Amino acid sequence: MRLAGKVAVITGAASGYGRGSAEMFAREGASVAAVDINASELKKVVDGINKAGGKAIAIRGDITETADVQRIMEETVAAFGKLNVLFNNAGIEHMEKVAEISEEDWDRVMNVNLRGTWLCSKFAIPHLVQAGGGSMVHTASLSALKGRMGNACYGASKAGVLAFSQIMAVELAPQKIRSNCICPVVATTPMGERFLKRAQALYGINLGPEWSFDTAKQFAAATVPLNLLSEPADVAYAAVYLASDESRLMTGTYLLLDGGSRAA
């Protein structure tokens, strides 16, 4: 019950890191406002949490739309009375060489990954201040710290999230609001599957006659010193720590969950 009494908004909660974190936050005692654009999958997540004895509500919303983001925060406070934690997790992947990126794709990735993080933070801040402080956690990426071919658009968006988080940490410290990032290596999630499928084509990797996510995961893991990719639970454990009072001296930094990839 490390998050007992806390209220958290978690974006991108219908799958992957967000789903794993919503479930773990609830098990640790938080009341969770689970947010996603995919209403049907989001309902399954929230129904599961509540059936297991947790407290959660589903809020369908588009984090790139100002009115939706304002409503998300207002509905959370209306349901639970306050807001203590914002986990900016929602995001989209993209993999393409710089000269081949379309303006539409660039704008779409920046809109979701960076603008969405800004909007959610902007409208969460007054509620966090009202609660006497709190924690903001943001899913960045190893790609924010390490250059890889084909990652220009996605990596730039996540590097922006990292810089944005650090600036907020300085600005909001007087209000007792902390801001930190999580930077994982590629994941065994639906988003990770799409990423690895595109990486095979981009890097000219031959994984056999038929593409298989299991084969791609094994190939990708072999490039990581610990021979592991990130799982939803890895990010969830990190997010719980950053959301909890145990990390009270951490702000303006990040937890790197990369299996040693950056050091290699």
Side-chain angles (χ1 to χ4, degrees):
M1 303 299 286
R2 297 159 72 192
L3 301 179
K6 295 189 184 296
V7 175
V9 167
I10 300 177
T11 66
S15 65
Y17 295 151
R19 177 173 188 160
S21 295
E23 293 168 347
M24 192 176 291
F25 271 50
R27 288 198 298 272
E28 290 289 346
S31 298
V32 177
V35 177
D36 205 282
I37 201 166
N38 187 334
S40 60
E41 289 302 311
L42 187 64
K43 184 178 185 302
K44 294 176 186 177
V45 174
V46 168
D47 286 350
I49 290 172
N50 290 326
K51 191 174 294 185
K55 292 182 181 179
I57 60 171
I59 305 177
R60 185 197 179 280
D62 182 343
I63 62 167
T64 69
E65 295 291 336
T66 300
D68 275 15
V69 174
Q70 286 181 293
R71 176 177 53 80
I72 287 164
M73 304 307 164
E74 290 167 0
E75 288 187 15
T76 299
V77 174
F80 297 125
K82 60 178 180 175
L83 177 62
N84 306 108
V85 179
L86 169 64
F87 184 12
N88 277 316
N89 168 72
I92 57 175
E93 83 288 347
H94 183 273
M95 197 166 198
E96 208 162 21
K97 291 181 179 179
V98 173
E100 297 168 1
I101 301 170
S102 69
E103 291 184 36
E104 292 78 14
D105 281 344
W106 180 274
D107 291 344
R108 180 175 59 90
V109 172
M110 293 298 169
N111 203 31
V112 175
N113 293 356
L114 193 49
R115 173 186 165 86
T117 296
W118 162 64
L119 277 179
C120 289
S121 301
K122 173 183 174 69
F123 289 105
I125 288 169
H127 299 293
L128 294 171
V129 170
Q130 183 67 29
S135 175
M136 291 194 290
V137 184
H138 320 279
T139 299
S141 171
L142 172 62
S143 297
L145 302 163
K146 183 174 183 176
R148 292 184 291 189
M149 183 176 70
N151 258 9
C153 187
Y154 178 77
S157 73
K158 291 300 187 177
V161 169
L162 183 57
F164 177 65
S165 173
Q166 292 172 334
I167 291 164
M168 284 199 297
V170 175
E171 284 191 5
L172 300 174
Q175 284 77 47
K176 306 300 181 186
I177 298 172
R178 298 182 295 111
S179 178
N180 294 287
C181 284
I182 300 171
C183 296
V185 71
V186 67
T188 60
T189 61
M191 182 170 164
E193 181 174 3
R194 294 190 298 270
F195 183 88
L196 289 176
K197 195 167 188 177
R198 177 60 183 150
Q200 177 184 339
L202 186 67
Y203 293 145
I205 300 167
N206 183 6
L207 298 179
E210 294 186 8
W211 192 88
S212 159
F213 189 27
D214 286 337
T215 302
K217 285 190 292 186
Q218 292 172 11
F219 180 88
T223 69
V224 178
L226 283 181
N227 198 35
L228 293 169
L229 302 183
S230 65
E231 302 278 353
D234 297 314
V235 169
Y237 280 123
V240 166
Y241 172 65
L242 291 174
S244 76
D245 295 337
E246 296 169 4
S247 60
R248 69 187 188 93
L249 283 181
M250 286 190 68
T251 194
T253 188
Y254 57 87
L255 292 178
L256 181 58
L257 310 179
D258 74 336
S261 295
R262 193 181 183 204

